Amino acid sequence: MNWFRNHPWLTGVLLVAVLLRVVGIGYGLPHFFVGDEQSQLGGALVMLKNFNFLPATAPADFVLLYYPPVMSYFYLLFLVPVLAIWMVLGGVSAQELAERVVLDPTIPWVVGRGVIVVLGVLSVYLVYWLTKRLFEDRRGLL
């Protein structure tokens, strides 16, 4: 709490960064308007469905994943707990969960976009920190 009082301008910039990213988190759902999301999140979901985490071993299954799978692996860190909680609280089997995700992929997409929100805000702080180290506080805030 003391950190926020000592850095009011930086706190404001980070809050604006969060707000700008969170405003669009539900844009277009349940349709796919951003191609990168479909490839990376879809790749992560295919990994879970097939329980195959090496796309090179089954290229026919991973036609959707035309990027390196690094971001898909990162999404899995957050998707697995959310989907497990969804299974437990919903009382559904893995097959029923897969059907629900196919019919309405909103929850995995919001989780993926939430990950991007966190990474985006961290990148804003990283740019501030780097410019503070190289120059001074005010340039970092700009």
Side-chain angles (χ1 to χ4, degrees), residues 52-76:
N52 180 2
F53 303 102
L54 298 171
T57 61
D61 293 339
F62 291 96
V63 172
L64 179 70
L65 186 61
Y66 49 84
Y67 287 110
V70 174
M71 198 64 192
S72 295
Y73 293 141
F74 194 70
Y75 282 137
L76 282 174

Side-chain angles (χ1 to χ4, degrees), residues 35-49:
D36 295 352
E37 278 183 331
Q38 192 173 2
S39 174
Q40 295 168 347
L41 270 169
L45 291 172
V46 169
M47 286 179 192
L48 283 177
K49 179 183 151 231

Side-chain angles (χ1 to χ4, degrees), residues 18-131:
V18 168
L19 290 175
L20 288 174
R21 284 163 174 81
V22 169
V23 166
I25 206 163
Y27 171 74
L29 292 175
H31 304 290
F32 309 120
F33 293 124
V34 182
D36 295 352
E37 278 183 331
Q38 192 173 2
S39 174
Q40 295 168 347
L41 270 169
L45 291 172
V46 169
M47 286 179 192
L48 283 177
K49 179 183 151 231
N50 296 345
F51 208 69
N52 180 2
F53 303 102
L54 298 171
T57 61
D61 293 339
F62 291 96
V63 172
L64 179 70
L65 186 61
Y66 49 84
Y67 287 110
V70 174
M71 198 64 192
S72 295
Y73 293 141
F74 194 70
Y75 282 137
L76 282 174
L77 294 174
F78 298 94
L79 277 174
V80 169
V82 169
L83 293 176
I85 290 170
W86 193 9
M87 280 179 61
V88 170
L89 294 180
V92 297
S93 68
Q95 180 64 32
E96 291 171 328
L97 180 67
E99 291 171 3
R100 287 185 183 188
V101 169
V102 168
L103 291 175
D104 185 14
T106 301
I107 290 178
W109 254 247
V110 168
V111 169
R113 290 179 181 183
V115 169
I116 295 301
V117 166
V118 171
L119 291 176
V121 173
L122 286 175
S123 71
V124 169
Y125 181 77
L126 179 66
V127 168
Y128 164 76
W129 183 80
L130 287 172
T131 54

